[in-house]
Amino acid sequence: MTTHAHHKHEKPLVAVIGAGVVGLTTALLLQCNHYDVTIIADEFPWEDKPRPDYASPKAGAHWRSFCDEDDERAKGYDAVSYRTFQELAKDPESGVKIRDAIDYYDFNPTGHEGRDPWWSKVVDDFKKIPSTNASFPIAYSYKTPVITPAIYLRFLLHQFKTAGGHVQHRKLSHVAEAALWVGTKPRPVKIIVNCTGFQARHLGGVNDLRNFQTRGQTAVVRASWIHETVTW
Protein backbone atom coordinates (compact mmCIF):
# COMPACT_ATOMS: atom_id res chain seq x y z
CA MET A 1 0.00 0.00 0.00
CA THR A 2 2.86 2.38 0.79
CA THR A 3 4.47 1.77 -2.59
CA HIS A 4 1.17 2.29 -4.37
CA ALA A 5 0.60 5.63 -2.63
CA HIS A 6 4.11 6.78 -3.59
CA HIS A 7 3.51 6.07 -7.27
CA LYS A 8 0.06 7.59 -7.13
CA HIS A 9 1.53 10.96 -6.14
CA GLU A 10 4.50 10.91 -8.51
CA LYS A 11 4.55 13.74 -11.00
CA PRO A 12 3.37 12.63 -14.46
CA LEU A 13 6.40 12.02 -16.69
CA VAL A 14 6.42 14.07 -19.91
CA ALA A 15 8.82 13.87 -22.86
CA VAL A 16 9.15 16.99 -25.01
CA ILE A 17 10.86 16.33 -28.34
CA GLY A 18 12.83 19.30 -29.64
CA ALA A 19 14.76 22.14 -27.99
CA GLY A 20 13.82 25.10 -30.16
CA VAL A 21 11.90 28.00 -28.68
CA VAL A 22 8.60 26.07 -28.80
CA GLY A 23 10.07 22.97 -27.16
CA LEU A 24 11.90 24.91 -24.45
CA THR A 25 8.88 27.09 -23.66
CA THR A 26 6.52 24.11 -23.57
CA ALA A 27 8.88 22.12 -21.36
CA LEU A 28 9.43 25.01 -18.94
CA LEU A 29 5.71 25.71 -18.53
CA LEU A 30 4.93 22.02 -17.95
CA GLN A 31 7.80 21.66 -15.48
CA CYS A 32 6.54 24.70 -13.54
CA ASN A 33 3.03 23.20 -13.47
CA HIS A 34 3.78 20.01 -11.56
CA TYR A 35 4.97 17.71 -14.36
CA ASP A 36 8.28 15.86 -14.47
CA VAL A 37 9.65 16.86 -17.88
CA THR A 38 12.52 15.63 -20.01
CA ILE A 39 13.54 17.39 -23.22
CA ILE A 40 14.84 14.99 -25.86
CA ALA A 41 16.67 16.71 -28.72
CA ASP A 42 19.49 16.32 -31.18
CA GLU A 43 20.25 20.05 -31.08
CA PHE A 44 20.42 22.33 -28.02
CA PRO A 45 21.11 26.07 -27.66
CA TRP A 46 24.51 25.41 -26.09
CA GLU A 47 25.89 24.43 -29.53
CA ASP A 48 28.36 27.05 -30.85
CA LYS A 49 27.54 26.34 -34.50
CA PRO A 50 23.98 25.04 -34.76
CA ARG A 51 22.93 23.27 -37.95
CA PRO A 52 20.95 25.25 -40.55
CA ASP A 53 17.71 23.40 -39.75
CA TYR A 54 17.86 24.46 -36.07
CA ALA A 55 15.94 27.62 -36.78
CA SER A 56 15.27 29.25 -33.40
CA PRO A 57 18.75 30.80 -32.83
CA LYS A 58 18.49 32.60 -36.17
CA ALA A 59 15.13 34.31 -35.63
CA GLY A 60 14.74 38.06 -36.02
CA ALA A 61 12.73 38.09 -32.84
CA HIS A 62 10.47 40.87 -31.65
CA TRP A 63 6.80 41.08 -30.70
CA ARG A 64 4.48 42.04 -33.54
CA SER A 65 0.91 40.86 -34.00
CA PHE A 66 0.05 39.03 -37.22
CA CYS A 67 -3.40 37.80 -36.25
CA ASP A 68 -6.67 38.82 -37.90
CA GLU A 69 -8.85 41.45 -36.26
CA ASP A 70 -11.67 38.90 -35.77
CA ASP A 71 -9.51 36.05 -34.40
CA GLU A 72 -10.24 36.40 -30.68
CA ARG A 73 -8.20 33.39 -29.62
CA ALA A 74 -5.06 34.53 -31.44
CA LYS A 75 -5.53 38.07 -30.11
CA GLY A 76 -5.62 36.64 -26.59
CA TYR A 77 -2.38 34.74 -27.21
CA ASP A 78 -0.67 37.84 -28.57
CA ALA A 79 -1.79 39.98 -25.62
CA VAL A 80 -0.54 37.41 -23.09
CA SER A 81 2.76 37.12 -24.97
CA TYR A 82 3.28 40.90 -24.91
CA ARG A 83 2.75 41.06 -21.15
CA THR A 84 4.91 38.00 -20.54
CA PHE A 85 7.83 39.40 -22.52
CA GLN A 86 7.46 42.70 -20.67
CA GLU A 87 7.99 40.80 -17.42
CA LEU A 88 10.93 38.84 -18.86
CA ALA A 89 12.57 42.10 -19.95
CA LYS A 90 12.95 43.01 -16.26
CA ASP A 91 15.54 40.21 -15.97
CA PRO A 92 18.86 41.30 -17.58
CA GLU A 93 19.77 37.63 -18.14
CA SER A 94 16.74 36.93 -20.34
CA GLY A 95 17.96 38.47 -23.60
CA VAL A 96 14.69 40.45 -23.81
CA LYS A 97 14.67 44.27 -23.96
CA ILE A 98 11.92 46.84 -24.52
CA ARG A 99 12.59 48.99 -27.57
CA ASP A 100 10.83 51.51 -29.81
CA ALA A 101 9.14 49.96 -32.84
CA ILE A 102 7.87 51.49 -36.07
CA ASP A 103 5.61 49.44 -38.36
CA TYR A 104 4.77 50.56 -41.92
CA TYR A 105 1.76 49.26 -43.89
CA ASP A 106 0.63 49.73 -47.48
CA PHE A 107 -3.02 49.38 -46.31
CA ASN A 108 -4.92 49.77 -43.06
CA PRO A 109 -4.51 46.40 -41.27
CA THR A 110 -7.96 46.72 -39.70
CA GLY A 111 -9.70 46.91 -43.07
CA HIS A 112 -11.39 50.15 -41.97
CA GLU A 113 -10.05 53.58 -42.78
CA GLY A 114 -9.19 55.60 -39.70
CA ARG A 115 -9.47 52.70 -37.23
CA ASP A 116 -6.48 51.75 -35.08
CA PRO A 117 -5.43 48.07 -34.97
CA TRP A 118 -6.76 45.98 -32.09
CA TRP A 119 -3.32 45.73 -30.46
CA SER A 120 -3.15 49.53 -30.01
CA LYS A 121 -4.85 48.88 -26.65
CA VAL A 122 -2.31 46.20 -25.70
CA VAL A 123 1.05 47.86 -26.38
CA ASP A 124 2.62 50.80 -24.55
CA ASP A 125 2.99 54.25 -26.14
CA PHE A 126 0.98 53.48 -29.29
CA LYS A 127 0.88 56.34 -31.79
CA LYS A 128 -0.13 56.73 -35.42
CA ILE A 129 2.70 58.69 -37.02
CA PRO A 130 3.26 60.34 -40.41
CA SER A 131 4.81 57.97 -42.94
CA THR A 132 7.96 58.97 -44.78
CA ASN A 133 7.33 56.47 -47.60
CA ALA A 134 4.55 56.95 -50.16
CA SER A 135 4.42 53.20 -50.86
CA PHE A 136 3.63 52.55 -47.18
CA PRO A 137 1.33 55.40 -46.18
CA ILE A 138 0.31 54.06 -42.75
CA ALA A 139 2.80 53.98 -39.86
CA TYR A 140 2.53 53.18 -36.16
CA SER A 141 5.04 53.52 -33.35
CA TYR A 142 4.94 51.70 -30.00
CA LYS A 143 7.09 49.94 -27.42
CA THR A 144 7.84 46.29 -28.09
CA PRO A 145 9.94 43.46 -26.62
CA VAL A 146 13.01 42.64 -28.73
CA ILE A 147 14.68 39.28 -28.16
CA THR A 148 18.25 38.12 -28.75
CA PRO A 149 17.53 34.46 -29.58
CA ALA A 150 20.86 32.88 -28.58
CA ILE A 151 20.65 34.45 -25.10
CA TYR A 152 16.92 33.85 -24.69
CA LEU A 153 17.12 30.15 -25.63
CA ARG A 154 19.91 29.53 -23.12
CA PHE A 155 17.90 31.47 -20.54
CA LEU A 156 14.86 29.21 -21.10
CA LEU A 157 17.00 26.09 -20.83
CA HIS A 158 18.61 27.35 -17.60
CA GLN A 159 15.18 28.17 -16.13
CA PHE A 160 13.95 24.71 -17.11
CA LYS A 161 16.88 22.93 -15.46
CA THR A 162 16.64 25.13 -12.36
CA ALA A 163 12.98 24.10 -12.05
CA GLY A 164 14.08 20.44 -11.99
CA GLY A 165 13.76 19.56 -15.68
CA HIS A 166 15.97 17.00 -17.41
CA VAL A 167 17.58 16.89 -20.86
CA GLN A 168 18.61 13.98 -23.09
CA HIS A 169 20.89 14.73 -26.02
CA ARG A 170 19.86 12.05 -28.52
CA LYS A 171 18.32 11.79 -31.98
CA LEU A 172 15.05 9.92 -32.37
CA SER A 173 14.15 8.02 -35.52
CA HIS A 174 10.59 7.34 -34.32
CA VAL A 175 8.30 9.28 -31.98
CA ALA A 176 7.66 6.12 -29.93
CA GLU A 177 11.31 6.11 -28.85
CA ALA A 178 10.47 9.07 -26.60
CA ALA A 179 8.42 6.66 -24.48
CA LEU A 180 11.56 4.65 -23.69
CA TRP A 181 12.65 6.38 -20.50
CA VAL A 182 16.45 6.68 -20.34
CA GLY A 183 17.26 6.95 -16.65
CA THR A 184 18.21 5.10 -13.51
CA LYS A 185 14.96 3.13 -13.44
CA PRO A 186 12.24 2.39 -16.00
CA ARG A 187 9.20 4.65 -15.72
CA PRO A 188 6.16 5.06 -17.97
CA VAL A 189 6.13 8.26 -20.01
CA LYS A 190 2.56 9.59 -19.73
CA ILE A 191 2.70 12.35 -22.35
CA ILE A 192 4.82 12.99 -25.46
CA VAL A 193 4.82 16.51 -26.91
CA ASN A 194 6.16 16.89 -30.45
CA CYS A 195 8.01 20.21 -30.84
CA THR A 196 10.30 19.13 -33.67
CA GLY A 197 9.35 21.88 -36.12
CA PHE A 198 10.42 21.01 -39.67
CA GLN A 199 11.86 17.68 -38.45
CA ALA A 200 8.29 16.45 -37.95
CA ARG A 201 8.43 15.76 -41.68
CA HIS A 202 11.14 13.14 -41.11
CA LEU A 203 10.26 11.79 -37.64
CA GLY A 204 8.93 8.22 -37.84
CA GLY A 205 5.36 7.87 -36.62
CA VAL A 206 4.68 11.51 -37.51
CA ASN A 207 6.00 12.09 -41.04
CA ASP A 208 3.97 15.26 -41.51
CA LEU A 209 4.50 15.97 -45.21
CA ARG A 210 2.42 19.16 -44.95
CA ASN A 211 5.32 20.61 -42.97
CA PHE A 212 7.74 22.62 -45.10
CA GLN A 213 10.51 25.18 -44.67
CA THR A 214 10.35 28.83 -45.57
CA ARG A 215 13.67 30.58 -45.93
CA GLY A 216 14.71 34.18 -45.49
CA GLN A 217 17.82 36.32 -45.39
CA THR A 218 19.28 37.48 -42.10
CA ALA A 219 22.25 39.84 -41.97
CA VAL A 220 24.00 40.28 -38.63
CA VAL A 221 25.76 43.63 -38.23
CA ARG A 222 27.44 45.52 -35.41
CA ALA A 223 25.29 48.62 -34.88
CA SER A 224 25.21 49.44 -31.18
CA TRP A 225 23.69 52.86 -31.90
CA ILE A 226 20.43 51.34 -33.22
CA HIS A 227 17.80 50.90 -30.51
CA GLU A 228 14.59 50.48 -32.48
CA THR A 229 12.89 48.04 -34.85
CA VAL A 230 11.52 49.06 -38.25
CA THR A 231 9.17 46.72 -40.11
CA TRP A 232 7.74 47.20 -43.63
Side-chain angles (χ1 to χ4, degrees):
M1 291 297 293
T2 304
T3 305
H4 175 74
H6 173 74
H7 285 299
K8 186 178 178 181
H9 293 96
E10 272 190 350
K11 292 181 178 181
L13 190 62
V14 180
V16 173
I17 312 173
V21 68
V22 176
L24 292 170
T25 304
T26 301
L28 175 57
L29 290 173
L30 287 170
Q31 184 65 35
C32 291
N33 281 276
H34 312 297
Y35 291 87
D36 186 0
V37 185
T38 296
I39 298 173
I40 305 171
D42 188 35
E43 197 86 17
F44 279 91
W46 62 62
E47 312 281 350
D48 289 332
K49 294 182 178 179
R51 291 195 300 269
D53 55 4
Y54 183 40
S56 289
K58 306 170 189 69
H62 66 140
W63 186 98
R64 182 172 183 254
S65 180
F66 288 93
C67 69
D68 293 333
E69 289 278 323
D70 58 354
D71 191 337
E72 295 302 323
R73 185 171 68 168
K75 285 158 65 173
Y77 292 157
D78 279 1
V80 168
S81 296
Y82 186 87
R83 292 191 292 270
T84 301
F85 281 119
Q86 276 187 314
E87 287 299 310
L88 286 170
K90 296 175 182 178
D91 187 336
E93 302 295 319
S94 68
V96 182
K97 297 183 183 298
I98 303 299
R99 293 288 183 253
D100 291 323
I102 301 175
D103 289 1
Y104 290 91
Y105 293 86
D106 56 357
F107 61 93
N108 190 307
T110 69
H112 298 277
E113 198 64 37
R115 183 186 296 179
D116 290 335
W118 74 270
W119 46 266
S120 64
K121 304 289 194 300
V122 173
V123 300
D124 289 341
D125 296 349
F126 175 87
K127 298 182 189 70
K128 185 173 182 180
I129 61 175
S131 174
T132 57
N133 189 316
S135 299
F136 296 87
I138 297 174
Y140 305 116
S141 68
Y142 57 99
K143 297 288 187 184
T144 196
V146 175
I147 304 147
T148 303
I151 298 174
Y152 180 60
L153 294 169
R154 291 191 185 102
F155 171 79
L156 289 177
L157 183 58
H158 175 73
Q159 295 290 312
F160 171 71
K161 287 179 160 182
T162 301
H166 315 283
V167 299
Q168 294 181 6
H169 195 175
R170 60 189 175 109
K171 184 176 179 63
L172 303 181
S173 59
H174 195 284
V175 67
E177 293 172 18
L180 303 175
W181 170 246
V182 177
T184 54
K185 60 177 182 177
R187 291 174 56 196
V189 174
K190 298 290 187 183
I191 303 166
I192 298 172
V193 186
N194 176 15
C195 299
T196 53
F198 176 67
Q199 294 304 318
R201 188 179 179 91
H202 307 294
L203 180 63
V206 179
N207 298 117
D208 185 359
L209 299 181
R210 297 169 300 175
N211 196 322
F212 62 92
Q213 289 175 319
T214 58
R215 296 176 180 270
Q217 299 272 340
T218 302
V220 181
V221 297
R222 292 188 182 277
S224 58
W225 61 91
I226 296 176
H227 298 285
E228 65 184 15
T229 75
V230 180
T231 306
W232 302 86

